[in-house]
Amino acid sequence: MPSPDDLTMTTSPANALIQLDSVSRSFRLPDGRRFDAVRDLSLSVHAGEILGLIGKSGAGKSTVLRLINLLERPDQGRVTVAGQVLTDLSGAALRRARQGIGMIFQQFNLLRNATVADNVAFPLRLHGEYRRDQIETRVADCLALVGLSDKATHHPAQLSGGQQQRVAIARALAPRPAVLLCDEPTSALDAETTRELLATLADVNARLGVTVVIVTHELSVVQTLCRRVAVLDHGRLIEQFDVAEAGAGQSPLARELARLQRHAALARQADLEDAALAAEAAHGADIGDRRIAPATAGLTAQPSPSAQGGAQHERSLHTTPAWAHASRVEVSAHG
């Protein structure tokens, strides 16, 4: 597969990095009924973009994601990634093609008894195409990319949930994939850790050019990370749009995303106005200080009349009156 450096943005479906053509996937339920998870779906994903797959629970989002790397093989239709028709491949050829498609999961799926470095090295050792020094260098590079160089000798149990997910990202990037598939990667994380993880994914996309496809039920994730979104409902693709143009969408999720964007815009505007008021107040205080300083420069502080009177009163308390001297003289004269 081509390296991310060789991939350029395109808007032509014919040149899409990922192309799903009329794919369908169904499952047999325990009671014998058939469940159609994906129905005659076609989707193009262009090189270098970040696409969000959204929809209600059971809409088929995760199944579509797994069709891309053939963890789920479609009942019908064709899957093409980087010019290779994966649905025509099997065995060793399919395993080689999958090296160009990294994937991270909701529950991290790390090897619990292996160190962080060994987890990241796992896909490189599995394919047996790298020397030991190449593996060590690549592992160090991937851990540095996700900010975990100091955790190489730790085990997953010693890490936070966000750190474990970043290890999973480093592992997925180790074989230098052109595509990174993310299946609900933030659902087990708190709000602050989610922001950090999304920043890591954005950095991976910006610095390496890796195409990201993310399944999420959190519209805030779509707003923060994605450039384009595809909305699924009952296994069908019902609409696609650029995130910046969510207001033009027709689905309830598109309208909800547009509402979220309006609220975010109002919050940003309020923050800007608060910052402007604070800057204006600080500037006014600075001007006031400069006006007062020249008016008082060179002046010697003088006591107020009340202060002067107090001082005189204090001196009178410590000064012996003339009659007291006379009395003492008289006493001594008669003594």
Side-chain angles (χ1 to χ4, degrees):
M1 299 188 82
S3 69
D5 294 336
D6 297 328
L7 302 173
T8 56
M9 286 291 290
T10 176
T11 56
S12 170
N15 295 323
L17 180 64
I18 301 169
Q19 183 69 41
L20 305 182
D21 293 308
S22 302
V23 294
S24 297
R25 182 71 170 101
S26 62
F27 300 94
R28 188 65 59 182
L29 300 177
D31 61 5
R33 292 181 299 136
R34 191 181 76 173
F35 173 66
D36 294 319
V38 178
R39 310 181 189 196
D40 193 29
L41 183 146
S42 295
L43 176 68
S44 299
V45 184
H46 305 300
E49 77 172 336
I50 303 177
L51 174 72
L53 295 177
I54 64 173
K56 296 180 180 179
S57 180
K61 305 182 296 295
S62 292
T63 303
V64 169
L65 196 74
R66 290 167 176 264
L67 288 173
I68 293 174
N69 61 2
L70 257 61
L71 287 183
E72 294 288 351
R73 186 174 282 271
D75 300 325
Q76 64 181 39
R78 183 174 64 178
V79 177
T80 305
V81 179
Q84 287 187 295
V85 181
L86 300 192
T87 41
D88 289 345
L89 305 179
S90 61
L94 180 57
R95 288 194 295 273
R96 282 194 298 272
R98 282 177 175 153
Q99 291 184 51
I101 308 172
M103 189 168 188
I104 61 175
F105 303 86
Q106 178 178 343
Q107 297 300 329
F108 320 136
N109 289 7
L110 300 178
L111 302 172
R112 310 305 298 178
N113 295 324
T115 65
V116 165
D118 286 337
N119 268 281
V120 177
F122 180 75
L124 303 177
R125 291 171 178 157
L126 184 65
H127 296 291
E129 299 175 0
Y130 301 90
R131 300 190 311 270
R132 181 175 179 177
D133 62 318
Q134 290 177 317
I135 292 175
E136 291 176 351
T137 299
R138 185 58 182 164
V139 167
D141 290 344
C142 290
L143 288 178
L145 181 65
V146 299
L148 291 177
S149 296
D150 60 334
K151 305 295 184 183
T153 59
H154 287 57
H155 286 77
Q158 297 173 284
L159 305 179
S160 68
Q163 289 171 333
Q164 290 185 60
Q165 193 62 286
R166 282 189 279 157
V167 173
I169 293 173
R171 179 184 60 188
L173 294 175
R176 292 183 171 85
V179 175
L180 181 61
L181 307 179
C182 309
D183 192 3
E184 298 274 11
T186 63
S187 61
L189 306 177
D190 60 49
E192 179 60 30
T193 307
T194 292
R195 284 191 289 270
E196 293 173 356
L197 182 70
L198 296 181
T200 298
L201 290 173
D203 187 52
V204 166
N205 172 260
R207 293 174 59 182
L208 303 182
V210 173
T211 302
V212 178
V213 182
I214 181 170
V215 166
T216 183
H217 64 276
E218 300 173 82
L219 292 180
S220 58
V221 169
V222 173
Q223 178 185 337
T224 301
L225 181 67
C226 301
R227 300 171 196 165
R228 193 163 62 92
V229 63
V231 183
L232 277 65
D233 185 41
H234 292 92
R236 298 186 185 278
L237 177 64
I238 61 172
E239 67 175 339
Q240 303 177 64
F241 51 82
D242 290 341
V243 171
E245 300 174 357
Q250 301 300 313
S251 67
L253 285 175
R255 292 194 292 271
E256 178 65 18
L257 180 59
R259 185 187 66 82
L260 185 66
Q261 290 175 332
R262 288 194 296 271
H263 286 182
L266 289 173
R268 286 194 299 270
Q269 182 62 32
D271 289 343
L272 290 174
E273 290 175 357
D274 289 346
L277 288 173
E280 184 177 348
H283 183 60
D286 182 55
I287 291 175
D289 290 343
R290 289 200 300 271
R291 285 175 177 171
I292 292 170
T296 58
L299 297 180
T300 303
Q302 300 293 330
S304 65
S306 60
Q308 291 174 342
Q312 291 171 353
H313 177 65
E314 184 176 356
R315 284 195 297 272
S316 68
L317 292 178
H318 296 281
T319 303
T320 306
W323 62 264
H325 287 290
S327 298
R328 280 199 296 273
V329 171
E330 291 173 358
V331 169
S332 62
H334 293 284

